[in-house]
Amino acid sequence: MKKLIAELISAELPELSLEDIEKSIENPPKPELGDFAFPCFRLAKVMHKAPNLIAGELAEKIKSDAIDRIDVAGAYLNFYMNKDFYLKSMIEKISQDNFGASDEGNGKTICIDYSSPNVAKNFHVGHLRTTFIGNSLYKIFDKLGYKVERINHLGDWGTQFGKLIVAYKRWGSEEAVKEKGIEELMRIYVLFHEEADKDPALEDEARAWFNKMENGDEEALKIWRWFLDISLEEFKRIYALLGMEFDHYTGESFYIDKADAVVEDLKKADLLTDSEGAKIVDLSEYDMAPCLILKKDGSTIYATRDLAAVKYRKETFDFFKCLYVTGQEQKLHFKQVFKVVELLGNEWAKDSLVHIPYGLVSLGGEKLSTRGGNVIYAEDILKEAIAKIRSTIDEKNPDLKDKDEVSRIVGVGAVIFNDLYNQRIKDVSFNWSHILSPEGETGPYVEYTYARCSSILRNASDYQFTTDIDYSVLEDQASIDLIKALNEFPNVVKSASETYEPHIVARYAIAVAQAFNKFYHDNKVLVEETDVRNARLMLVSLTRKVIKDAMDLLGIGVVEEM
């Protein structure tokens, strides 16, 4: 419809491009102001007339069977579309199998670096944010036709492993680690820090063990690989619970043998500078602290490995963009790394490397800390959500089939939805009564709406979907508002991709659910009149389809019954 209106305006205003006109067309804030509006303010300079006069002249000239009338409101042209034409065009679009999808990404690859938990540390609730956001962005870009490489850049290298080896040798045992896994590794890791506060020599011992790892010491690497295997098993169990997968588990250790090439590149570009025995790239010219490349002992640091990762990913995937979903506290680190990549002569770094920061997650307002030991495990959060949903089902719908799977989908989905509902840069706090509520702006509310749609369609077992309906049946305001909401899905997907903001999709899912429940409140669906029944059932079917697609973009499943 916007394109049609833009074409009609363009015929009278050859001074403006069709694309420019289409971008200027607005959705009025109230239904009584029309279906679409076009502001004429900026035409005043071009046409040397008052905007309201321009609007009046355009209203006289534009004619189309698709438009019932055009009103002038100040400098605005308000378009009132022919309802049958308008509704038919929207519904035919919404009913397409690939509604919301596009081919804009064909032939382009996007790498997304997300989740990336630290090996030998339990997957805690703080890791959920990067995992949820990254997975949603993967689905959004996949919907737009991009080839997406899902990369889990595990924190599997660094001095912390020297600390862990010291802790294992002093206070751990093979039997305890085999029996308790990461729980035991976490215990001795916390204990190391408690003891190191009393005996600083432990830190030197830890650095020595990490140095052994870097120099290929077999004992050190054997222990490290064992801890890595234990951790991966734990992480993959969490990802299975979330219904998520990765294409690559290439952590920091994967780039160790690729770091030398990066150092050599920096030397050739004359970018390395000595600083108290360490090697840095001086970024003072760009108002940034120096980027540390090699420590005094010649060992690499995470910035070196991130530089090696960029080089490897560009050479391997020839990415269009490489996205890094991490906490906002790493903002400076990525600014430094991206600037170094650019200084190496890679102009593409300016547009292709993107840091996607997010806020903190807390439980009861308290920030989570691995070292301090006050850790809330992600698995515990997810299992508690599942258990609470299961308890509600047992109370309200004890005969429901597949209660365990329904509880998992709704419980896990509720946690994901709570996280993705607000802008990612905002902090997230857990409040069980809100997260699991079937009312309000929550995941269960959207799930319930989907299940209601499914129930209506089951009760109309003889219904066959068709868009060959009487469109005049859908001219009440609640029906029109729902159709308009559904019609926005492609714009929502596009906007979420451009801003890297899954919350746009989450809020859209709520808007559709609210519009549907208003429609359902105002209109009885399973009525005797065939024309009315079929038209409204079609709208129920389309709502169900769009809610499912929107929830899928968030990484959330849907259930047929609740």
Side-chain angles (χ1 to χ4, degrees), residues 133-279:
I133 294 167
N135 185 63
S136 181
L137 291 176
Y138 147 64
K139 287 177 170 289
I140 289 166
F141 283 107
D142 181 67
K143 185 86 170 174
L144 296 176
Y146 292 89
K147 184 179 190 307
V148 183
E149 299 289 346
R150 298 168 291 181
I151 301 171
N152 200 326
H153 187 79
L154 297 169
D156 63 357
W157 202 254
T159 310
Q160 69 267 31
F161 292 99
K163 296 176 181 180
L164 201 54
I165 291 172
V166 172
Y168 170 68
K169 284 186 162 291
R170 282 176 175 260
W171 309 294
S173 69
E174 183 177 351
E175 295 75 20
V177 173
K178 282 183 175 177
E179 180 187 348
K180 298 181 180 178
I182 279 190
E183 182 184 344
E184 173 65 6
L185 298 181
M186 289 284 290
R187 182 189 73 81
I188 61 176
Y189 184 76
V190 171
L191 183 57
F192 174 90
H193 286 96
E194 290 173 353
E195 294 299 319
D197 285 341
K198 306 174 208 170
D199 180 8
L202 287 171
E203 295 283 357
D204 294 329
E205 192 178 339
R207 279 190 286 272
W209 271 105
F210 177 56
N211 222 343
K212 287 184 178 183
M213 285 173 58
E214 291 237 293
N215 292 322
D217 180 84
E218 191 48 46
E219 182 189 6
L221 291 176
K222 184 179 179 181
I223 297 172
W224 166 75
R225 288 191 198 100
W226 180 35
F227 293 166
L228 176 59
D229 290 342
I230 291 170
S231 302
L232 272 174
E233 185 179 342
E234 163 81 7
F235 299 155
K236 287 181 179 179
R237 189 176 73 252
I238 304 297
Y239 295 135
L241 190 60
L242 293 169
M244 297 177 187
E245 296 178 343
F246 288 86
D247 300 304
H248 312 279
Y249 286 91
T250 44
E252 290 188 72
S253 64
F254 181 79
Y255 303 102
I256 295 303
D257 63 355
K258 299 167 181 60
D260 287 346
V262 168
V263 174
E264 195 57 36
D265 289 344
L266 291 168
K267 285 179 181 175
K268 286 179 182 176
D270 198 25
L271 290 172
L272 280 186
T273 305
D274 285 316
S275 177
E276 299 179 7
K279 296 288 186 182

Side-chain angles (χ1 to χ4, degrees), residues 5 53 56 316 414 441 478 481 501 523:
I5 292 170
L53 294 178
T316 305
E441 297 170 352
D481 288 346
E501 283 285 10
N523 297 283

Side-chain angles (χ1 to χ4, degrees), residues 357-378:
Y358 55 83
L360 297 172
V361 63
S362 64
L363 197 63
E366 187 174 344
K367 183 182 174 183
L368 305 169
S369 164
T370 303
R371 176 173 173 172
N374 58 326
V375 178
I376 308 298
Y377 295 157

Side-chain angles (χ1 to χ4, degrees), residues 272-522:
L272 280 186
T273 305
D274 285 316
S275 177
E276 299 179 7
K279 296 288 186 182
I280 65 165
V281 176
D282 185 359
L283 298 174
S284 57
E285 183 182 341
Y286 308 99
D287 296 321
M288 279 186 266
C291 184
L292 179 60
I293 302 298
L294 293 174
K295 293 186 281 187
K296 290 179 183 179
D297 59 8
S299 59
T300 60
I301 193 169
Y302 49 85
T304 328
R305 300 189 280 274
D306 275 339
L307 288 167
V310 173
K311 181 181 173 73
Y312 172 82
R313 291 168 188 173
K314 189 63 176 175
E315 291 173 351
T316 305
F317 305 116
D318 190 25
F319 57 73
F320 170 67
K321 285 188 185 293
C322 187
L323 313 180
Y324 295 79
V325 185
T326 75
Q328 59 184 326
E329 69 276 3
Q330 294 193 46
K331 192 173 180 179
L332 174 60
H333 165 71
F334 282 106
K335 279 183 72 175
Q336 292 172 316
V337 169
F338 296 169
K339 178 54 72 173
V340 172
V341 175
E342 183 189 333
L343 292 175
L344 282 167
N346 303 303
E347 281 296 311
W348 48 262
K350 293 179 182 177
D351 299 317
S352 295
L353 300 177
V354 183
H355 178 222
I356 298 171
Y358 55 83
L360 297 172
V361 63
S362 64
L363 197 63
E366 187 174 344
K367 183 182 174 183
L368 305 169
S369 164
T370 303
R371 176 173 173 172
N374 58 326
V375 178
I376 308 298
Y377 295 157
E379 188 172 20
D380 292 343
I381 287 283
L382 297 171
K383 285 186 173 179
E384 186 169 352
I386 293 168
K388 287 177 181 292
I389 291 294
R390 176 59 189 264
S391 176
T392 302
I393 289 173
D394 286 340
E395 178 188 342
K396 297 188 176 181
N397 192 2
D399 298 326
L400 180 69
K401 295 178 182 177
D402 301 320
K403 285 193 279 189
D404 287 344
E405 182 62 4
V406 170
S407 299
R408 185 193 71 79
I409 291 172
V410 177
V412 170
V415 175
I416 295 174
F417 196 93
N418 179 69
D419 190 290
L420 297 181
Y421 184 69
N422 292 306
Q423 286 180 302
R424 55 182 160 72
I425 206 65
K426 293 187 176 179
D427 295 347
V428 168
S429 182
F430 277 87
N431 180 321
W432 283 120
S433 62
H434 170 73
I435 291 172
L436 302 178
S437 173
E439 299 176 351
E441 297 170 352
T442 67
Y445 173 72
V446 181
E447 295 277 9
Y448 178 75
T449 304
Y450 178 88
R452 171 176 273 177
C453 291
S454 296
S455 174
I456 294 168
L457 293 170
R458 280 195 304 274
N459 290 331
S461 55
D462 59 334
Y463 170 69
Q464 294 292 319
F465 180 86
T466 177
T467 57
D468 184 17
I469 59 168
D470 179 0
Y471 287 92
S472 66
V473 170
L474 302 176
E475 291 184 3
D476 64 284
Q477 196 58 53
S479 297
I480 291 172
D481 288 346
L482 175 56
I483 295 167
K484 282 184 174 181
L486 297 175
N487 190 56
E488 280 297 303
F489 187 48
N491 295 331
V492 165
V493 179
K494 179 69 174 163
S495 179
S497 75
E498 290 173 343
T499 57
Y500 309 110
E501 283 285 10
H503 91 275
I504 294 172
V505 179
R507 296 200 167 214
Y508 170 75
I510 290 291
V512 168
Q514 290 172 336
F516 174 79
N517 287 313
K518 178 68 166 63
F519 157 81
Y520 185 70
H521 176 270
D522 291 359

